[in-house]
């Protein structure tokens, strides 16, 4: 099977992993495969990232984020460098 690399559209996260936010806070995402993500450009995936948002509307900001919104990795592939849930 040929692996197809796809980058998320402009305005997405960039490469995933540990991120440093304002004030030096670090956010780490984990990933889990499940239902289809919303498509973004040519990016297709069924991996979801568990992470904490900058703004908390519920659950202290923790929730699922589609892998199609992250550049790096391939279609229907986990995001490199993130551990699985």
């Amino acid at each position: 099977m040929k692996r197809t690399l796809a980058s998320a559209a402009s305005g997405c996260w960039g490469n995933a992993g540990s991120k440093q936010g304002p004030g030096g806070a670090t956010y780490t995402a984990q990933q889990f495969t499940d239902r289809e993500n919303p498509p973004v450009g040519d990016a297709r995936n069924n991996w979801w990232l568990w992470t904490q948002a900058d703004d908390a509307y519920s659950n202290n900001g923790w929730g699922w984020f589609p892998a199609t919104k992250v550049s790096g990795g391939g279609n229907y592939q986990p995001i490199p460098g993130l551990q699985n849930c």
Side-chain angles (χ1 to χ4, degrees):
M1 174 186 288
K2 182 180 177 186
R3 183 174 174 190
T4 304
L5 294 179
S7 293
S10 177
C12 296
W13 258 16
N15 291 328
S18 294
K19 298 290 185 182
Q20 188 164 4
T26 301
Y27 303 91
T28 303
Q30 293 182 330
Q31 58 191 342
F32 176 78
T33 184
D34 193 33
R35 61 189 168 93
E36 191 76 14
N37 291 182
V40 176
D42 291 333
R44 303 288 184 272
N45 218 322
N46 59 344
W47 284 85
W48 291 83
L49 313 178
W50 179 252
T51 190
Q52 190 174 30
D54 292 335
D55 296 318
Y57 297 100
S58 64
N59 200 28
N60 288 325
W62 287 98
W64 293 102
F65 190 79
T68 51
K69 291 285 192 173
V70 177
S71 63
N75 284 336
Y76 299 102
Q77 298 290 321
I79 303 298
L82 292 184
Q83 67 182 25
N84 295 341
C85 293

